[in-house]
Amino acid sequence: MPNAAPDPFTLAVDCGGGGIKASVLDAAGTLHAPAVRVPTPYPLPPARLVETIADIAATLPRADRVTVGMPGMIRHGVVVATPHYVTRSGPRSAVDPDLVAAWSGCDVRAAVEARLGVPALVLNDAEVHGAGVVSGTGVELVLTLGTGLGSALFDGGTLAPHLELSHAPVRWGMPYDLYIGQVERARLGDGLWSRRVRRVVEGLRPVFLWDRLYLGGGNARQVTPQVLDRLGDDVVVVPNQAGIVGGVRAWSMAH
């Protein structure tokens, strides 16, 4: 696959459990067209995701390369495991063993490149989000608060191998995904949920000893001001649209 143009336009695709958003950005990371969002279709085998991306791309200006952020453990563009897309009808529905088999070891990067005819970069969605917000100096951790918990770690602007923190138990045997995910936020309300976010941040602080922590994702803005004040100056809330903007910067940060 040939390298993209010197000042390439990038199709940035943010694949979530509930929706798939995309836009085309110029080399500076500025939107070249308004973002398009479609509901995530289920059931979703790999070929259907690729076709959904191609359908969205057809409605947007032509791009020289594509960045795809998707949930789960992605290594070198290959899916090791992905949570929502192996279910019959979306997050928290029954897992389909056939979809587990279809996604395991799936080379999404190769499939997207073959379908769209341009170079592709496929990463965990929190990693693309992080690429849009990190400063590029020091150790920077990005946590995205949404359906579950996403994470990405950068050192000097270079992306570290992905860790699925979301599956580790945090309290009462609950994984992070459940403990501070959307279902628990809706059950507890923002006040009590925000205290859980603070407990998670303080629990991870001695593990990473970050220079800066960024809280992003759709629920980051629901963290209460009282909790934010207590988290410290090294914790910053960032806008959710970074999941699109990071599609450009991710090319220089990933290895």
Side-chain angles (χ1 to χ4, degrees), residues 78-102:
V78 176
V79 175
V80 178
T82 189
H84 317 305
Y85 300 166
V86 296
T87 63
R88 291 194 168 93
S89 55
R92 305 196 185 283
S93 65
V95 170
D96 183 334
D98 290 338
L99 287 173
V100 173

Side-chain angles (χ1 to χ4, degrees), residues 20-241:
I20 297 174
K21 294 179 292 186
S23 186
V24 172
L25 303 100
D26 65 20
T30 304
L31 262 65
H32 190 51
V36 175
R37 184 187 188 277
V38 300
T40 304
Y42 289 99
L44 188 62
R48 191 175 186 191
L49 177 66
V50 173
E51 281 307 310
T52 301
I53 292 170
D55 289 345
I56 296 174
T59 71
L60 291 165
R62 175 165 173 75
D64 303 296
R65 63 187 186 182
V66 55
T67 305
V68 177
M70 60 177 289
M73 177 70 81
I74 318 296
R75 290 189 184 136
H76 310 293
V78 176
V79 175
V80 178
T82 189
H84 317 305
Y85 300 166
V86 296
T87 63
R88 291 194 168 93
S89 55
R92 305 196 185 283
S93 65
V95 170
D96 183 334
D98 290 338
L99 287 173
V100 173
W103 278 107
S104 180
C106 176
D107 191 336
V108 177
R109 180 173 60 189
V112 170
E113 286 185 343
R115 179 64 180 82
L116 297 184
V118 293
L121 179 65
V122 180
L123 298 169
N124 172 273
D125 50 354
E127 295 175 337
V128 179
H129 189 106
V133 300
V134 296
S135 70
T137 57
V139 172
E140 300 175 282
L141 178 66
V142 180
L143 298 178
T144 56
L145 306 170
T147 304
L149 175 72
S151 64
L153 183 64
F154 296 81
D155 181 17
T158 299
L159 180 62
H162 185 61
L163 303 174
E164 277 289 63
L165 290 179
S166 57
H167 295 168
V170 58
R171 207 165 192 212
W172 310 302
M174 291 176 75
Y176 287 96
D177 253 355
L178 292 177
Y179 186 67
I180 55 173
Q182 169 59 20
V183 169
E184 285 294 280
R185 187 184 77 82
R187 184 180 75 84
L188 294 169
D190 288 342
L192 288 175
W193 174 81
S194 294
R195 284 197 225 165
R196 285 194 176 183
V197 173
R198 183 187 174 200
R199 194 175 292 130
V200 165
V201 169
E202 297 305 337
L204 292 176
R205 189 184 294 274
V207 177
F208 291 94
L209 292 174
W210 54 71
D211 293 302
R212 183 159 291 180
L213 167 66
Y214 301 89
L215 296 178
N219 282 340
R221 61 182 177 274
Q222 308 300 336
V223 179
T224 62
Q226 296 91 330
V227 164
L228 282 178
D229 287 344
R230 293 179 178 178
L231 287 179
D233 294 338
D234 59 348
V235 180
V236 182
V237 173
V238 292
N240 196 32
Q241 59 261 37

